[in-house]
């Protein structure tokens, strides 16, 4: 569904909801507590993709997307 250098977003293979999208970093990060200066950019990318995917889902469902920050 969406892919960047650091992030992958895809439809869940067995969705719990009508729209169930999984967003993961490509680099393994064991815990949010381990995010440091070297991995901060990865998590920033993950959250950027989450925002873009959420806006796309809202548009597809006929909802008004939130403004981009």
């Amino acid at each position: 569904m969406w892919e960047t250098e650091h992030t992958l977003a895809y439809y869940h293979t067995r969705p719990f909801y009508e729209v169930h999208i999984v967003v993961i970093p490509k680099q393994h990060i064991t815990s949010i507590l381990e995010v440091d200066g070297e991995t901060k950019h990865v998590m920033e990318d993950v959250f950027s993709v989450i925002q873009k995917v959420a806006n796309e889902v809202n548009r597809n469902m006929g909802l008004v997307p939130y403004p981009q920050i």
Side-chain angles (χ1 to χ4, degrees), residues 34-69:
E34 293 184 7
V35 174
D36 57 17
E38 293 181 17
T39 54
K40 180 181 174 186
H41 68 282
V42 174
M43 294 310 295
E44 288 172 344
D45 189 60
V46 167
F47 282 99
S48 174
V49 169
I50 290 170
Q51 184 180 45
K52 290 173 184 171
V53 168
N55 276 319
E56 183 176 317
V57 168
N58 281 347
R59 271 193 303 278
N60 291 343
M61 295 181 79
L63 303 171
V64 178
Y66 289 96
Q68 295 289 324
I69 297 174

Side-chain angles (χ1 to χ4, degrees), residues 7-34:
T7 306
L8 180 63
Y10 58 92
Y11 288 99
H12 197 289
T13 56
R14 289 187 278 169
F16 187 76
Y17 298 103
E18 180 182 345
V19 179
H20 189 161
I21 300 166
V22 179
V23 181
I24 59 170
K26 291 181 178 178
Q27 177 181 344
H28 179 73
I29 298 174
T30 304
S31 168
I32 193 80
L33 299 173
E34 293 184 7

